[in-house]
Amino acid sequence: MSRKILLDKIGIAGIETFPVYRSNGGYASVEKALKMQPADIVEEVKKSGLRGRGGAGFPTGLKWSFIDKKSGRPRYLVCNADESEPGTFKDRFLMEKLPHLVLEGMITASIALEANLSFIYVRGEFRWIIKILEKAIVEAKEAGFLGRNILGTGYNLEIVVQTGAGAYICGEETALIESLEGKRGNPRIKPPFPAVSGLYGNPTVVSNVESIAAVPWIVNNGGAEYAKIGVPKSSGTKLISACGNINNPGVYEIELGLPVKDFLFAPEWCGGMKNGKRLKAVVAGGSSVPILPAGLFLKTANGEDRLMSYESLADGGFATGTMLGSGGFIVYDEDQCIVRNTWNFTRFYHHESCGQCSPCREGTGWMERILHNIENGHGKMSDIDLLWDVQKKIEGNTICPLGDAAAWPVAAAIRHFRDEFEWHIKEPKECMVRNFGIAEPAIV
Amino acid sequence: MLAIRTGQKVEFSEQSLQKVTEIINRYPEGKQKSALLPLLHLAQDEFGGWLSVEAMDYVARMLHIQPIEVYEVATFYSMYNLKPVGRFLLEVCQTGPCMIRGAEKLVSQLEEKLKIKNGETTTDGLFTLKTVECLAACGYAPMLQCGEHYHEFLDTEEKVDQLLDQLRRKAAANN
């Protein structure tokens, strides 16, 4: 369960430079892909079962197969490196440590999509990463893997590093496209989907950095081989960025299907709880996914061991389960206050709402203010139901999933920690100094 | 929110003008508006860390678009500063994972040491303190961004002092 295919070369000195990366087998997938039919490359990615690693988990090969090649309009690949989901810092790690792996994936994917211009949209705060990527592009170009007439095959490809400027919403693919066109990041109504009408109205595929970084291995070894890694429906490996009250925060590549207990407590991964505290709750896949109390996180409602996979984490639906999401793994110990954390998250979503849809624009602000009142000792019992009502009215009623992402953490916090909200309202003074959670003593 | 007119003419250096041409040429013909975000970053870097109305109008002229197309973008993205900031803009991440690892303490330490509140600039014009949302450094919390650099694991007062000293020395060396 510790197989590595993305980070296997991470320890090699100088792996961020072209010569070292190349002499360790890098760019082989580009050579292979140039000899394949583009549709066959897409087929291999389909067979691999790779699911979008940005959070939604949509099958990558299927997404690529939707791209309109018949109309003859220019096609674009856009690599989504706008990593901003609280808890998530894996793409940053990949680009920093293995920029050529990301580029190789982009070139191979561009060959599959028959694109001659591709973009990597990097969040503006990652200024040093933009430099790393630009340097890697120059190196790849000098070596003939980018630019005109790649490796003498007649195939042309340019890759442009595009800078964001601080907007979580631009991680949503149509907002990203708007931003790339030099506009505000307001998501578009779908359909039409980007595969038909995306950047400049042309067919476009937007894929996450980690999804694209998995492509070279899939092309080199075949989709069927990739599908053997992990567990059925959750094939392959996943980068998990672990943070919160644990001993070893950081980025880990795991084989999907790893038991969550191992990931959380084994020394090779999170290494257990910091300062010997008890586990209270976990947000398993970035701030948007439902928070789970310790008991439900470690075991499903049926008493089965929970695994790090799309299906196992979702077992029980939102009533007792959550989602793998982006792999942003946030661990809370017994001293953490769920009300304060939920208020913090709603402030984030309120700040990041683009403001197009009333339920999200207004609702996120209402949730933030209600939670601020409860957290600061001015709450009423009726506020809890009001909060539930507001999140319910946001969910499903917006153009893009930011509305859902703002609603789900609130719903889950009330669902699993209602008593903690009630205590904040009943004992406002005491909740300032003490924390009333339902920390079930789990494994220490 | 928007915006401050300085009454001063702005103009890119020769070097930046070259960069502008290079950026605009990345995009397909007729799609030069895609260069807007990168050009605003360039303008902000060159014109003192913030965007005046003059700077935004200048970028609009370069891209042959209406000034309003620049204003609407500049007001949307949190990295564009629409009023002057100090020499060093300290942006502290305050979102969940940073909060549970001490972001609030970091903010109050900085407020105390710099004798300013969140959002303010020190009287010597050296530091502006600002809280921001998730910077994707959750495992290395608490942290702040200053210019190109992430300063991570700022979990003790000594580390905060060291950072401020380092920045002050840098400012002194450049003057």
Side-chain angles (χ1 to χ4, degrees), chain A residues 127 162 180 183 244 340, chain B residues 27 34 45 77 101 104 152:
Chain A
R127 297 183 77 154
Q162 180 76 4
L180 192 38
K183 301 177 203 156
R340 190 163 188 77
Chain B
Y27 308 101
S34 281
D45 286 349
Y77 296 93
R101 293 298 288 256
E104 289 164 332
E152 295 166 333

Side-chain angles (χ1 to χ4, degrees), chain B residues 12 36 39-40 43 55-64 70:
Chain B
F12 277 137
L36 179 52
L39 290 201
L40 285 175
M56 290 187 271
D57 291 352
Y58 181 63
V59 170
R61 285 195 299 278
M62 287 194 142
L63 293 175
H64 308 290
V70 180

Side-chain angles (χ1 to χ4, degrees), chain A residues 16 18 27 99-100 102-104 106-107 118-120 122 129-147 157-162, chain B residues 26:
Chain A
E16 70 283 359
F18 181 87
Y27 288 96
H100 282 288
V102 177
L103 278 194
E104 182 183 351
M106 283 188 72
I107 299 169
S118 297
F119 296 88
I120 177 162
V122 185
I129 290 176
I130 291 163
K131 285 186 181 165
I132 291 172
L133 290 169
E134 282 178 342
K135 182 165 170 269
I137 287 172
V138 171
E139 288 180 324
K141 231 177 203 177
E142 282 168 359
F145 282 91
L146 259 181
L157 175 67
E158 295 292 338
I159 292 183
V160 171
V161 183
Q162 180 76 4
Chain B
R26 290 171 180 171

Side-chain angles (χ1 to χ4, degrees), chain A residues 304-339:
Chain A
E304 289 164 18
D305 279 344
R306 194 107 42 194
L307 311 176
M308 297 292 284
S309 72
Y310 292 95
E311 289 68 34
S312 179
L313 284 169
D315 187 282
F318 278 6
T320 57
T322 180
M323 290 164 77
L324 178 64
S326 62
F329 193 84
I330 316 170
V331 181
Y332 298 85
D333 70 22
E334 58 192 307
D335 292 342
Q336 304 310 322
C337 172
I338 299 300
V339 175

